[in-house]
Amino acid sequence: MTYSEDNLLPISALADIVFCERRAALHQLEEIWQESVSTIEGHYLHDKVHAGENESRGDVRIVRGLRLRSLRLGLSGVADVFEFHRLDQGAEGIVLPGVSGRWTPFPVEYKRGVVRHEESFECQLCAQALCLEEMLNCHIPAGALFYGLSRRRKDILLTDELRHGTEEAAVRLHHLVNAGVTPPATYAKKCEKCSLLAQCMPKTAGAGKSADKYLRSEILDLKC
Ligand code: SF4
């Protein structure tokens, strides 16, 4: 199946759905966006990266703000950085206009905070690679997540497992948007770092919380 240009969804929404289906629905269906210190810092970091110039450092070419899309996955977006690494002579890779040799693309996604494992970030990075693979008919074996606070980057291998998980998340995202139904909230530890916590109210309005239970807990909490 392929999607039309009119049906593309943002790659960032793919990161949302991997983190939490309800978060993706609140953003895509209900258009609820809430800024927090974390999201503002994140925007600032991305703006700073995109404002930089494209550059060349030895055998690495650095391109910022590359526009991406995949009709196969139905996704589009803008990559923070794509590095292009020069390959050894005879190796298979893409040709860059006006430059000799063969090159392999290497996506770098910028995140705030310190190095950690986040499946949603890895799927977002992988989706960027899958988009460019489709656009340039090439293979991208790896990329990296750069963490702004620790100023360290973590290389991510784009394994078959990660690719499969990313493709499956793209299918789920399109189903969610087509169905147009926001799933109920289920509180989990990750909610504490979600910028939509105040709007979502997973502790009070989540699945399995009856109105009676909700009122009892709220009324018992009242101090006379
Ligand atoms: S607060 Fe929790 S349930 Fe609600 S959108 Fe965020 S992660 Fe999902």
Side-chain angles (χ1 to χ4, degrees):
M1 169 174 180
T2 56
Y3 294 88
S4 73
E5 294 275 356
D6 294 337
N7 292 321
L8 303 182
L9 295 171
I11 294 174
S12 58
L14 186 113
D16 276 345
I17 201 166
V18 173
F19 185 74
C20 168
E21 289 217 352
R22 180 170 165 84
R23 181 179 165 86
L26 291 176
H27 277 158
Q28 298 303 314
L29 300 176
E30 303 192 26
E31 298 184 353
I32 295 175
W33 301 86
Q34 181 61 38
E35 295 294 8
S36 64
V37 174
S38 310
T39 58
I40 291 168
E41 282 177 5
H43 293 326
Y44 176 73
L45 182 64
H46 284 107
D47 289 349
K48 211 170 139 193
V49 174
H50 289 204
E53 299 281 320
N54 293 340
E55 54 186 302
S56 177
R57 292 185 199 158
D59 285 337
V60 179
R61 304 274 154 146
I62 299 168
V63 179
R64 298 169 199 277
L66 196 62
R67 282 183 291 119
L68 302 167
R69 67 123 174 83
S70 165
L71 297 181
R72 181 173 71 86
L73 299 178
L75 296 173
S76 67
V78 178
D80 287 336
V81 165
F82 253 96
E83 295 178 353
F84 292 85
H85 298 179
R86 188 191 288 277
L87 294 168
D88 293 337
Q89 219 170 11
E92 282 194 17
I94 63 164
V95 174
L96 293 180
V99 195
S100 62
R102 296 276 174 168
W103 303 77
T104 188
F106 185 94
V108 183
E109 172 68 14
Y110 281 62
K111 296 294 178 192
R112 59 178 293 281
V114 296
V115 173
R116 60 195 182 276
H117 171 71
E118 288 276 1
E119 189 189 358
S120 60
F121 294 170
E122 295 187 7
C123 286
Q124 186 178 6
L125 183 80
C126 185
Q128 292 173 359
L130 292 173
C131 285
L132 200 68
E133 284 185 347
E134 182 179 316
M135 293 165 75
L136 300 183
N137 190 25
C138 65
H139 177 68
I140 303 175
L145 293 166
F146 179 89
Y147 289 88
L149 194 61
S150 54
R151 301 201 58 75
R152 285 187 49 208
R153 76 189 220 178
K154 180 182 178 192
D155 284 352
I156 306 291
L157 280 180
L158 305 178
T159 61
D160 288 346
E161 189 185 356
L162 179 56
R163 288 165 182 270
H164 180 74
T166 304
E167 289 167 355
E168 187 261 344
V171 171
R172 279 197 293 128
L173 179 63
H174 277 276
H175 282 165
L176 179 87
V177 170
N178 289 340
V181 178
T182 301
T186 304
Y187 180 77
K189 205 173 161 195
K190 65 185 176 185
C191 296
E192 297 301 327
K193 57 181 177 180
C194 175
S195 60
L196 298 183
L197 178 62
Q199 290 71 27
C200 173
M201 296 195 298
K203 280 184 178 168
T204 50
K209 301 279 193 308
S210 68
D212 180 61
K213 201 171 167 188
Y214 165 69
L215 285 173
R216 279 174 191 278
S217 69
E218 292 301 298
I219 289 167
L220 284 176
D221 278 349
L222 285 179
K223 302 277 182 287
C224 297

